């Protein structure tokens, strides 16, 4: 297959970027998008050009490292799929494909397609955990967790922290990410002790990081490679209000 | 130097308890005066960093990833073992210990393995407390499944994403300590060297991957938790960033390398398709609980799987190993797949593949049950191959997956450099010559949550660690200079050939010569060719850009440079070990029916290599292994 690839090139955090046009020839339909980009880079190298900086690691759709806006859609055209699990057979031979970074106010571009998503880590550092030190745990079966609760918790916990939700939201909101983190714990008995405090501290940090507000457009759910449900946002909002009423969240 | 494993005396069942009650302690107020560097935040590193911080130590944690949550542990699918005996099927600490020693083909240290089995149950308890959403039964209790090489159900799991959920648990608890200021996290920082002062590890050198800045960091102890080196084969199931550099540089500073040739080739991966392929995808071993493995009985049978009648199928694992069947251990399952393919009965492109068939399980249990158990794995398979595994059997083939070899450590998980600890896949410890499924997650978390936080205290309490004087400062500065020189050298070669192309050639060579089957002429030839290729690399590699900014080609080049050296050592180790054991199959040493033939007379030891300035001049040290509890027998799964 053959493609015209328009890629965002930006030398560093402060620099001005632009779309550059390259050709990708002899691409196998079985190649993944990342493999196609790797071949493109080898070609650029041969031409004496600097390869495009982009990130990918596990290539199994689970680590959340890969982050490309492909033709304006986070992770490209296939539903429930990360960039690394996207295969070239999903594109028309001869197509022009535009590749840009996951842009958002809270995700500064470091170089080309590489962005800084450490704001997510800082949100988790404020409350995305259960406070229990090693050595304190009762037997694993001491607390029974009904199967449906465990499943709901797991549905939320599947979030891979890639930031597609933020990149596709016109407000750059992180509500899907934060609500998934909160729901993972809020649906387990072990997560109850810190439920409201956790919610409030994470939401406050989210605001501090400069993520935008959620205006219920649900672009986030549509692009989420793990198809995390926006219903968790409703639960987050409720817990936030209850928490505020209870005066939770003080340090 | 003689190798002292420092195994506590006494009955195997009491060693760890006894160690803990007799170890020296650091009093709580003094703990914050000690600083520990932890390199890596996979299951091993994140759990260690968090627990050390809970105890009061000051921790600096470094990862090359943009976040600790992205460590390769995230990709583990199938599960984690623990001797809980929740299924009432006769499991016990003893049985897990026995299975692991036998599974490792009697090449692991008994005392370590017993401790691992003992701790396994606390790991599950702790992970549940941290909110890991393990699979549950309707009554709310924890669910289990089986893995290869065992006859009980002791594997805990979270859909097909167990590693992800365990890592998120460790990441969460690490994040709490970062929020509290007990851990300073350094992301996008690659460790490039260990700094040894007066014979002890006292710091590291790192490269900031965004700015290219090289800096040195001091500490009272250094913990390396940087994972395995299967990417030496280029194509493997590991994440692209997994590398050997941290442990290799530590090796060059004095840490012995244990059993480098012990690599695990996992039986169930999606077969390779094309020249541009970047990695091989694992299909979890848990699939072997319900999938049946087969190939056509006759050579070159090109019919579609569905048109091959039952009587013309060879379910070769069930035939050869009736008591374990499709759940035979990994080394055996992989070798059997290679055998049938070498025999001309492989399926799919290039005939390098065997079927993993769910037809019977779907008929027996119904599609919804299979979907619930393996849904995400089936989806992943469908995405990658474009085939629907609910209707046509999966095609699978073995691929490099895990490295049992790694830096040699004693019972305290300390390397031959005092103050340098190694945990998780990066060390050589508990799996001998073959790892059983679902036991790497167990080992990483046992090391990080429970073992290291105890043994490191014992080290501090029993060592004098003076503040770094002028010599120390000099060592830190000169190690940093050496790292700078390395990166400058690489960008200045300005040759013609891409890093990727060297890595592919090295990987193919290793797969052919030091993969599933090994023999003396092949290994000798590989050693020659690795040397020649390495020489070419250092004169002709093309690393564009500069060393002072985000430069992924440069990061990659430095890692491949280390693979060249490691590859040579792997071949030397494989060559010297003239026996077959576990994943190390020396073609010269097999039984008449083609099974691995161990040679306990000559090779019942850990081979630990000392770097002496040149890989080819590495010196072999032996740690003899004694089996006082599980008797040395020929491993049989028939
Ligand atoms: C696809 C797959 C599936 C698996 N499934 C299972 C399973 O079901 N059950 C099981 O028990 N095991 C499984 N394993 C094995 C298991 O996942 C790994 O052995 C284990 O997770 C390794 O953990 P670790 O903490 O040692 O290293 P890793 O998780 O690899 O973490 C390494 C860390 O070190 C950092 N690092 C590496 N190099 C450097 C450097 N030079 N400088 C700075 N930082 C560095 C990285 O950033 C990362 O944080 C699987 C493995 C694979 C590949």
């Amino acid at each position: 297959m053959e493609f015209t690839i328009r890629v965002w090139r930006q030398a560093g955090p402060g620099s001005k970027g632009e779309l550059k046009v390259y050709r990708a020839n002899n691409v196998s339909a079985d190649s993944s998008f990342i493999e196609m980009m790797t071949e493109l880079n080898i070609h650029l190298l041969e031409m004496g050009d600097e390869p495009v900086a982009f990130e990918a690691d596990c290539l199994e759709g689970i680590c959340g490292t890969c982050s490309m806006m492909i033709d304006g859609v986070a992770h490209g055209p296939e539903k429930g799929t990360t960039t690394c699990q996207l295969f070239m057979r999903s594109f028309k031979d001869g197509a022009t494909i535009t590749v840009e970074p996951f842009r958002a106010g809270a995700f500064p571009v470091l170089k080309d397609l590489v962005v800084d998503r450490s704001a997510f880590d800082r949100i988790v550092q404020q409350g995305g955990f259960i406070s229990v030190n090693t050595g304190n745990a009762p037997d694993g079966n001491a607390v029974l967790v009904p199967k449906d609760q465990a499943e709901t918790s797991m549905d939320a916990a599947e979030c891979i922290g890639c930031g597609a939700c933020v990149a596709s939201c016109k407000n750059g909101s992180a509500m899907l990410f934060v609500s998934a983190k909160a729901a993972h714990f809020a649906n387990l008995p072990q997560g109850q002790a810190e439920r409201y405090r956790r919610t409030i501290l994470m939401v406050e940090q989210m605001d501090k990081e400069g993520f935008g507000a959620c205006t219920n457009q649900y672009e986030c759910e549509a692009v989420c490679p793990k198809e995390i449900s926006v219903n968790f946002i409703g639960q987050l909002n409720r817990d936030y209000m209850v928490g505020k009423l209870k005066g939770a969240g003080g340090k | 130097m003689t190798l002292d494993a420092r195994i506590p005396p006494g009955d195997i069942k009491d060693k760890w308890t006894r160690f803990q009650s007799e170890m020296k302690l650091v009093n709580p107020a003094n703990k914050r005066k000690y600083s520990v560097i932890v390199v890596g935040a996979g299951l091993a590193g994140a759990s260690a960093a968090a627990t050390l911080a809970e105890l009061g130590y000051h921790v600096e944690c470094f990862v090359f990833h943009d976040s600790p949550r992205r460590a390769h542990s995230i990709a583990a699918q199938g599960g984690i073992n623990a001797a809980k005996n929740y299924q009432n099927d006769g499991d016990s600490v003893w049985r897990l210990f026995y299975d692991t020693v036998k599974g490792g083909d009697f090449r692991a240290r008994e005392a370590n393995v017993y401790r691992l089995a003992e701790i396994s149950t606390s790991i599950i308890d702790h992970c549940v407390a941290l909110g890991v959403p393990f699979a549950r039964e309707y009554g709310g209790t924890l669910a289990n499944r089986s893995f290869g090489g065992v006859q009980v159900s002791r594997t805990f799991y979270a859909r097909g994403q167990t590693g992800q959920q365990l890592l998120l648990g460790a990441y969460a608890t690490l994040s709490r300590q970062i929020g509290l200021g007990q851990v300073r996290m350094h992301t996008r920082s690659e460790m490039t060297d260990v700094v040894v002062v007066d014979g002890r590890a006292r710091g590291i050198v790192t490269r900031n991957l965004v700015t290219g800045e090289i800096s040195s960091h001091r500490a009272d102890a250094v913990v390396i938790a940087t994972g395995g080196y299967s990417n030496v084969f280029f194509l493997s199931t590991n994440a692209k960033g997994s590398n050997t550099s941290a442990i290799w540089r530590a090796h060059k500073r004095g840490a012995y390398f244990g059993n480098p040739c012990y690599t695990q080739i996992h039986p169930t991966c999606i077969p390779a398709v094309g020249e541009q392929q970047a990695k091989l995808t694992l299909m979890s071993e848990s699939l072997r609980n319900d999938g049946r493995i087969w190939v056509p009985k006759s050579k070159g049978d090109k019919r579609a799987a569905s048109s091959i009648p039952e009587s013309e199928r060879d379910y070769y694992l069930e035939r050869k190993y009736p008591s374990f069947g499709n759940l035979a251990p990994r080394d055996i399952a992989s070798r059997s797949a290679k055998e049938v393919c070498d025999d001309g009965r492989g399926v799919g492109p290039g005939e390098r593949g065997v079927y993993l068939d769910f037809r019977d399980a779907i008929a027996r249990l119904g599609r919804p049950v299979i979907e619930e158990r393996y849904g995400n794995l089936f989806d992943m398979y469908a995405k990658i191959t474009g085939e629907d595994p609910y209707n046509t059997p999966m095609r699978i083939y073995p691929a490099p997956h895990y490295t049992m070899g790694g830096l040699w450590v004693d019972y305290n998980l300390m390397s031959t450099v005092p103050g340098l600890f190694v945990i998780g896949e990066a060390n050589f410890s508990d799996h001998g010559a073959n790892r059983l499924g679902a036991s790497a997650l167990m080992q990483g978390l046992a090391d990080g949550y429970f073992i290291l936080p105890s043994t490191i205290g014992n080290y501090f309490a029993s060592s004098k660690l003076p503040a770094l004087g002028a010599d120390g400062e000099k060592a830190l500065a000169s190690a940093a200079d050496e790292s700078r020189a390395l990166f400058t050298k690489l960008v200045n070669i300005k040759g013609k050939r891409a890093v990727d192309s060297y890595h592919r050639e090295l990987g193919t060579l290793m797969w052919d010569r030091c993969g599933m089957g090994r023999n003396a002429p092949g290994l000798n030839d590989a050693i020659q060719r690795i040397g020649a290729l390495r020489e070419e690399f250092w004169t002709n590699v093309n690393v564009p850009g500069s060393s002072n900014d985000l430069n992924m080609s440069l990061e990659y080049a430095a890692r491949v440079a280390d693979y060249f050296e490691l590859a040579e050592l792997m071949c030397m180790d494989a060559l010297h070990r003239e026996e077959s054991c576990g994943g190390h199959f020396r073609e010269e040493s097999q039984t008449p029916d083609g099974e691995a033939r161990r040679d306990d007379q000559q090779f019942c030891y850990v081979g630990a290599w000392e770097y002496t300035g040149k890989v080819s001049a590495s010196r072999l040290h032996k740690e003899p292994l004694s089996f006082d509890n599980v008797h040395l027998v020929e491993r049989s799964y028939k």
Side-chain angles (χ1 to χ4, degrees):
Chain A
M1 302 175 87
E2 293 190 356
F3 301 98
T4 303
I5 311 285
R6 300 165 68 221
V7 188
W8 185 259
R9 304 300 311 254
Q10 179 173 337
S15 353
K16 234 177 114 250
E18 59 176 332
L19 282 169
K20 286 222 171 152
V21 183
Y22 305 107
R23 297 281 308 156
N25 298 330
N26 282 325
V27 178
S28 150
D30 287 329
S31 277
S32 71
F33 203 83
I34 300 292
E35 284 161 358
M36 183 278 290
M37 291 294 291
T38 306
E39 288 299 312
L40 174 66
N41 271 347
I42 291 174
H43 176 68
L44 290 181
L45 189 65
E46 283 163 2
M47 309 294 292
D49 235 334
E50 201 180 330
V52 182
F54 67 86
E55 290 185 292
D57 198 24
C58 75
L59 307 193
E60 295 188 6
I62 193 82
C63 73
T65 305
C66 58
S67 48
M68 296 184 194
M69 288 299 265
I70 300 168
D71 289 335
V73 181
H75 293 304
E78 298 284 341
K79 233 182 116 48
T81 303
T82 54
T83 303
C84 68
Q85 292 277 284
L86 180 64
F87 288 82
M88 296 318 290
R89 61 179 97 90
S90 300
F91 296 87
K92 269 216 191 79
D93 198 6
T96 297
I97 306 174
T98 306
V99 194
E100 294 167 276
F102 273 12
R103 283 203 187 82
F107 289 171
V109 173
L110 296 176
K111 185 172 183 176
D112 299 339
L113 304 175
V114 180
V115 297
D116 177 0
R117 289 167 284 185
S118 52
F120 273 7
D121 288 330
R122 290 188 292 273
I123 293 174
V124 174
Q125 285 155 19
Q126 289 311 305
F129 44 75
I130 291 176
S131 301
V132 48
N133 285 359
T134 310
N136 285 295
D139 184 83
N141 267 343
V143 181
L144 298 179
V145 182
K147 190 177 168 77
D148 54 340
Q149 277 185 30
E151 294 293 325
T152 308
S153 168
M154 183 66 206
D155 287 343
E158 282 197 24
C159 167
I160 57 174
C162 64
C165 46
V166 176
S168 354
C169 174
K170 68 178 172 32
N171 306 325
S173 165
M175 280 295 267
L176 191 63
F177 169 78
V178 175
S179 69
K181 193 77 263 165
H184 161 195
F185 296 120
N187 285 289
L188 292 173
Q190 306 94 295
Q192 297 309 310
E194 293 167 286
R195 176 169 183 170
Y196 300 108
R197 176 186 158 78
R198 168 186 311 120
T199 304
I200 288 178
L201 292 176
M202 286 204 295
V203 169
E204 283 175 2
Q205 186 65 28
M206 172 182 87
D207 292 343
K208 258 190 230 158
E209 296 289 347
F211 290 104
C214 168
T215 47
N216 305 326
Q217 310 275 312
Y218 302 151
E219 274 301 319
C220 50
E221 185 186 71
V223 299
C224 175
K226 296 292 141 181
E227 306 183 294
I228 306 273
S229 159
V230 290
N231 292 340
F232 294 127
I233 297 181
Q235 189 177 23
L236 181 82
N237 285 331
R238 277 195 304 283
D239 280 5
Y240 183 78
M241 288 199 323
V242 175
K244 278 288 171 194
L245 287 171
K246 287 176 179 270
K251 284 221 163 181
Chain B
M1 188 167 122
T2 52
L3 281 175
D4 179 2
R6 296 194 180 82
I7 299 169
D11 189 90
I12 194 154
K13 291 182 177 159
D14 307 324
K15 285 181 193 291
W16 179 234
T17 322
R18 181 152 162 190
F19 173 86
Q20 285 179 297
S21 35
E22 291 176 3
M23 71 183 181
K24 296 211 176 96
L25 298 175
V26 180
N27 95 42
N30 279 343
K31 286 206 178 93
R32 70 189 144 78
K33 295 184 191 151
Y34 287 99
S35 65
V36 183
I37 283 176
V38 178
V39 189
L43 286 179
S47 58
T51 306
L52 290 169
E54 287 164 15
L55 290 170
Y57 296 109
H58 177 74
V59 179
E60 303 270 336
C61 183
F62 296 82
V63 298
F64 75 77
H65 285 99
D66 70 323
S67 161
R69 70 175 292 150
R70 310 232 193 266
H72 172 57
S73 294
I74 202 104
Q77 301 169 350
I80 176 167
N81 289 331
K84 281 286 197 186
N85 194 29
Y86 282 160
Q87 304 307 320
N88 194 26
D89 56 2
D91 201 8
S92 62
V93 167
W94 184 266
R95 199 177 284 277
L96 174 53
F97 159 65
Y98 175 89
D99 287 345
T100 309
V101 169
K102 177 182 169 199
D105 214 355
F106 300 90
R107 290 294 174 265
R109 204 185 274 151
E110 275 193 334
N112 283 53
V113 179
Y114 192 86
R115 173 177 65 185
L116 176 66
E118 233 178 324
I119 290 174
S120 68
T121 57
S122 311
I123 296 172
I124 298 303
D125 299 341
H126 186 52
C127 291
V128 168
L130 289 175
V132 172
F134 284 118
R136 300 274 170 169
E137 304 294 350
Y138 279 104
T141 52
L142 289 154
N144 289 119
R145 53 165 66 138
S146 299
F147 258 58
V150 305
Q151 289 170 314
V152 291
S153 272
R154 62 160 76 100
T155 304
F156 295 77
Y157 62 100
R159 295 200 183 143
Q161 303 158 39
T162 318
Q164 180 198 30
Q165 292 310 316
L166 293 172
L167 183 65
L168 290 181
Y171 161 74
T173 200
L174 170 64
S175 295
R176 175 164 73 107
Q177 296 301 325
I178 298 170
L180 293 170
Q182 284 290 114
V183 176
R184 252 184 52 207
M185 189 71 220
H186 307 256
T187 57
R188 296 190 191 273
S189 300
E190 178 139 334
M191 175 190 132
T192 57
D193 215 341
V194 177
V195 182
V196 180
V197 181
D198 287 337
R200 292 177 190 274
R202 293 302 299 270
I204 63 168
V205 178
T206 60
R207 178 169 184 271
N208 178 317
L209 299 182
V210 180
T211 63
E213 191 195 341
I214 304 277
S215 47
S216 39
H217 310 263
R218 60 205 70 212
D220 297 305
V222 174
V223 180
I224 296 190
T226 52
Y229 52 85
S230 294
N231 277 346
V232 69
F233 293 101
F234 185 77
L235 284 181
S236 85
T237 64
N238 286 17
K240 292 307 283 178
S242 298
N243 66 88
T244 190
S245 291
I247 58 172
W248 189 255
R249 309 277 169 88
H251 172 58
K252 291 173 92 171
R253 293 284 179 190
Y256 291 6
F257 208 117
N259 302 329
C261 82
Y262 286 172
T263 46
Q264 174 160 80
I265 313 294
H266 195 295
T268 54
C269 303
I270 301 180
V273 281
E275 302 261 291
Q276 300 175 348
Q277 188 150 357
K279 81 163 275 183
L280 295 169
T281 303
L282 175 78
M283 288 284 105
S284 167
E285 171 161 312
S286 60
L287 293 167
R288 291 200 271 143
N289 271 283
D290 290 306
R292 298 179 67 197
I293 294 178
W294 64 275
V295 289
K297 276 191 180 154
S298 48
K299 294 184 193 194
D301 190 337
K302 292 268 183 271
R303 287 174 293 174
S306 56
S307 355
I308 302 182
E310 202 57 25
S311 60
E312 292 174 41
R313 299 176 173 201
D314 179 12
Y315 294 93
Y316 57 88
L317 287 178
E318 297 173 21
R319 171 172 59 79
K320 285 165 53 183
Y321 309 101
S323 56
F324 282 73
N326 293 297
L327 285 173
R330 292 179 175 175
D331 51 340
I332 290 178
S334 289
R335 226 156 25 236
S336 304
K338 178 174 187 286
E339 253 168 51
V340 293
C341 293
D342 288 349
D343 190 34
R345 297 190 288 140
V347 298
E351 279 138 40
R352 296 319 282 183
V354 302
Y355 289 126
L356 176 61
D357 196 342
F358 290 86
R359 186 193 64 182
D360 297 349
I362 292 174
R364 187 175 77 245
L365 302 163
R367 181 169 165 153
V369 174
I370 298 298
E371 269 175 22
E372 187 194 305
R373 284 187 193 163
Y374 312 111
N376 72 316
L377 298 171
F378 277 50
D379 290 349
M380 187 152 80
Y381 183 87
K383 254 178 214 160
I384 293 175
T385 60
E387 294 171 9
D388 173 14
Y390 290 103
N391 293 314
T392 43
M394 288 184 178
R395 283 177 297 105
I396 52 162
Y397 196 67
H401 175 61
Y402 182 90
T403 49
M404 284 76 68
L407 294 183
W408 184 91
V409 288
D410 64 13
Y411 188 76
N412 302 319
L413 304 180
M414 191 164 83
S415 70
T416 48
V417 177
L420 180 71
F421 294 80
V422 191
I423 60 177
E425 190 173 339
N427 73 23
F428 89 105
S429 65
D430 307 349
H431 310 292
N434 172 58
R435 177 175 71 80
L436 291 180
S439 57
L441 303 182
M442 169 173 73
Q443 182 226 327
L445 292 180
D447 288 0
Y449 281 133
F450 295 100
I451 303 170
L452 177 91
S454 291
T455 58
I456 209 170
N458 186 53
Y459 169 73
F460 287 143
S462 46
S463 319
K464 280 213 168 52
L465 295 167
L468 289 183
D471 279 0
E473 297 302 329
K474 233 170 86 191
L476 285 162
S478 79
D481 285 341
E482 281 180 45
S483 286
R484 263 177 223 115
L486 167 78
F487 291 106
T488 312
K489 183 172 173 191
L490 282 166
V491 287
N492 284 338
I493 295 172
K494 299 197 191 309
K496 294 253 174 308
R497 197 170 157 191
V499 182
D500 184 273
S501 139
Y502 284 103
H503 191 188
R504 274 177 206 266
E505 186 172 340
L506 175 69
T508 311
L509 180 62
M510 289 300 283
W511 177 238
D512 289 344
R513 299 285 195 250
C514 197
M516 272 192 285
R518 301 155 175 197
N519 58 54
L523 290 164
N524 278 316
D525 174 57
I527 292 170
Q528 297 301 319
R529 283 166 55 189
I530 292 165
L533 192 62
R534 180 169 63 213
E535 240 168 69
E536 193 208 308
F537 173 89
W538 281 105
T539 52
N540 193 33
V541 70
N542 181 355
V543 183
S546 96
S547 59
N548 302 322
D549 69 351
L550 198 161
N551 185 343
M552 291 171 168
S553 311
L554 179 59
E555 293 162 29
Y556 188 23
R559 290 173 185 172
V560 172
D562 292 329
Y563 282 135
F564 276 120
E565 298 189 349
L566 167 72
E568 183 175 347
L569 188 66
M570 287 170 71
C571 292
M572 287 164 61
D573 188 42
L575 185 61
H576 110 278
R577 192 170 279 280
E578 292 168 348
E579 65 162 350
S580 295
C581 57
H584 170 65
F585 190 67
R586 274 295 293 265
E587 285 157 3
E588 300 93 331
S589 179
Q590 42 184 312
T591 62
D593 52 352
E595 301 287 342
R597 198 177 64 218
R598 241 179 33 227
D599 179 351
D600 295 327
Q601 289 301 322
Q602 290 196 71
F603 293 100
C604 195
Y605 60 78
V606 175
W609 295 86
E610 177 188 1
Y611 185 76
T612 59
K614 222 173 126 192
V615 180
S616 56
S618 301
R619 196 173 299 133
L620 177 68
H621 300 260
K622 298 176 183 175
E623 178 200 337
L625 292 169
S626 64
F627 292 87
D628 306 323
N629 298 279
V630 184
H631 294 295
L632 279 167
V633 287
E634 192 183 317
R635 202 167 65 130
S636 166
Y637 290 92
K638 290 202 165 151

